[in-house]
Amino acid sequence: MADEPLTDADTEHSAWARLPAAARVGVVYLLARIVTTVFFLMAANLSGFESRFGPEAGLGDLVLGWDSRWYWIIAEVGYPSQLPLTDSGVVAENQWAFMPIYPYLAKYVSLPFGGQWVVGAFLVSVAAGFGASLVLYRMLRDRIDAGSSMWAVAFFAAGPLAGLFQVGYAESLYLLWLFLALWCVMRRRYAWLYLLIPLMAFTRPGVLAFALFLGLFGIWRWISRRREQLAGPEIVQIVALGLLAVLMGFSWQLLAGWVTGDSGAYLSTELAWRRNWIPGDAAFAPFEGFLAGIEYWFGTVWSLTPPIGYVVVGASLVALTAVLLFEPHVRRLGVELRLWSASYLVYLLLVFFPQSSIFRLLVPLSPLWGAVALPRSRLWRVGVLVAGLVGQWWWIYNMYALGNTNLQVP
């Protein structure tokens, strides 16, 4: 997937290096998509009667699997004006958990293909994944050498969660907006964020993490203003964009409440998914989901005690903090990407109930692939790439070839 020039940032006169960056990224991305397609074909062939996809599964069935079907329902019938209820009278799973840009864009793209939404979804995901890969390269290239940046793209395009680039999920489109937004902050081109922040907000949840990032970034700019001049207009831009991100972060909840007449419609809908693991009708509170997850996994599932879970999670958080603060390869990426990574992890701690989707929800941390790619050892880089492909097959096999329990939800 990556030839010899990819391993050497100094081969400036090679045929590979003379290709435009978009062409080099395109080659890497295309090879990665071929490998992923092979994995999906193998998963479809291995799908049996116990799998949710059945013994006659095809690629289209996998593209439309799991949450992809909710996006398809949105494209076909929109959002309910009355929240559906379970037999016990609590809010059932419904479309309000998913944002509108991806499903409607896929529907528009599908029109030349007979309105087959699955085709539009596949094309949008693949195209957005390429765009995200190209922006990732450009973004990292501002901080690290060309060879390392291209290897980071290879890790991203062929990594454990690369199957998301070929299914009806909004992740690849969200990553495109996110990477563009981070690149704009890195280059101090704030005007584009007035468009990108709403696009992120209505593609998938997570823009509140970007609001936190902008707040931390503004504090850092103030502290470091003697090293990099901080003018009044930039202060105004950062504050205004932070407020916009907060407003966009709560706008979907307000819209869901207005349409359904239930101010808690969005949160009730999100909590409906948690009942697949923990029965009952819990109320949302910051950090509550993560703490409940620790008790569930370490207590109920693994028959340990929750205090062990608190120690393990606490130690992991300390280790992650140390990596973001002190690890030299991560520091090379710049303060913006480190602040984003920290902000997103805090966001997950605040709102997420940890379960099998945690792997997918960590994908917005993908700029950190740049740090993984920095060591020049060929053995290291090839080893990471192989490990990523093995992880990708493991994920596709469990989520799509098997895909029949709550522990196998993408």
Side-chain angles (χ1 to χ4, degrees):
M1 190 168 299
D3 54 12
E4 176 63 23
L6 191 62
T7 68
D8 188 358
D10 299 322
T11 54
E12 297 180 357
H13 303 292
S14 68
W16 173 259
R18 287 195 298 270
L19 287 175
R24 284 178 281 143
V25 171
V27 170
V28 171
Y29 187 74
L30 177 61
L31 291 174
R33 298 286 61 76
I34 292 173
V35 173
T36 299
T37 300
V38 172
F39 286 165
F40 273 123
L41 287 171
M42 292 167 60
N45 185 60
L46 291 171
S47 177
F49 288 102
E50 294 184 355
S51 168
R52 68 187 287 118
F53 299 100
E56 303 297 329
L59 284 178
D61 300 308
L62 303 189
V63 172
L64 198 56
W66 295 108
D67 285 352
S68 304
R69 190 163 294 275
W70 286 109
Y71 288 116
W72 170 73
I73 292 172
I74 292 169
E76 293 297 318
V77 302
Y79 293 87
S81 58
Q82 184 174 353
L83 293 175
L85 302 178
T86 67
D87 293 338
S88 60
V90 296
V91 175
E93 298 172 355
N94 66 84
Q95 298 97 296
W96 283 109
F98 304 93
M99 311 308 182
I101 288 182
Y102 178 81
Y104 288 124
L105 178 60
K107 183 176 183 179
Y108 177 79
V109 171
S110 74
L111 294 179
F113 304 95
Q116 299 182 67
W117 187 86
V118 65
V119 176
F122 173 81
L123 292 175
V124 170
S125 292
V126 169
F130 169 69
S133 298
L134 181 57
V135 177
L136 178 64
Y137 174 82
R138 296 291 191 185
M139 180 169 58
L140 293 176
R141 188 65 187 90
D142 286 347
R143 300 296 166 85
I144 61 178
D145 63 273
S148 297
S149 299
M150 192 61 68
W151 271 104
V153 169
F155 299 157
F156 173 66
L161 277 294
L164 290 170
F165 299 136
Q166 295 180 217
V167 295
Y169 273 66
E171 263 69 14
S172 57
L173 188 61
Y174 175 79
L175 290 174
L176 174 59
W177 309 141
L178 172 64
F179 291 173
L180 283 169
L182 291 172
W183 195 26
C184 287
V185 173
M186 291 169 65
R187 294 200 161 196
R188 312 296 188 255
R189 295 178 180 176
Y190 301 112
W192 285 103
L193 294 177
Y194 291 98
L195 172 63
L196 291 168
I197 286 174
L199 287 174
M200 284 192 289
F202 289 95
T203 299
R204 69 175 307 279
V207 75
L208 287 176
F210 199 80
L212 176 59
F213 159 69
L214 288 173
L216 295 176
F217 173 74
I219 294 171
W220 174 80
R221 286 289 291 117
W222 176 260
I223 293 173
S224 62
R225 63 189 183 279
R226 292 185 178 180
R227 294 196 301 270
E228 180 184 351
Q229 183 179 1
L230 178 63
E234 184 178 355
I235 297 174
V236 173
Q237 291 268 51
I238 294 172
V239 172
L241 289 166
L243 292 174
L244 175 63
V246 171
L247 176 63
M248 290 293 100
F250 289 103
S251 62
W252 189 247
Q253 297 182 40
L254 296 174
L255 181 61
W258 177 68
V259 172
T260 63
D262 181 348
S263 61
Y266 174 72
L267 292 178
S268 297
T269 297
E270 288 286 0
L271 290 171
W273 265 266
R274 189 189 299 184
R275 286 193 294 272
N276 292 324
W277 285 268
I278 301 179
D281 191 26
F284 172 79
F287 298 109
E288 185 274 334
F290 214 90
L291 295 176
I294 292 174
E295 294 182 4
Y296 171 74
W297 289 105
F298 284 86
T300 304
V301 177
W302 296 328
S303 298
L304 300 172
T305 60
I308 294 177
Y310 298 140
V311 171
V312 171
V313 172
S316 300
L317 293 175
V318 171
L320 285 170
T321 301
V323 167
L324 292 176
L325 287 175
F326 304 115
E327 206 286 321
H329 299 100
V330 176
R331 290 176 63 88
R332 287 270 305 273
L333 301 182
V335 69
E336 296 89 351
L337 298 184
R338 292 156 62 205
L339 286 176
W340 160 250
S341 300
S343 300
Y344 187 72
L345 289 172
V346 170
Y347 168 78
L348 289 183
L349 288 172
L350 283 167
V351 305
F352 183 59
F353 172 80
Q355 28 87 1
S356 60
S357 296
I358 186 65
F359 301 109
R360 173 171 58 87
L361 294 182
L362 290 176
V363 170
L365 298 176
S366 292
L368 294 179
W369 280 124
V372 179
L374 272 173
R376 295 293 187 88
S377 165
R378 180 183 300 181
L379 178 62
W380 167 259
R381 287 170 165 175
V382 172
V384 171
L385 184 61
V386 171
L389 291 170
V390 171
Q392 183 184 160
W393 167 244
W394 178 89
W395 188 79
I396 290 174
Y397 173 72
N398 277 277
M399 307 301 172
Y400 290 92
L402 301 180
N404 56 359
T405 73
N406 285 341
L407 300 179
Q408 295 161 331
V409 180

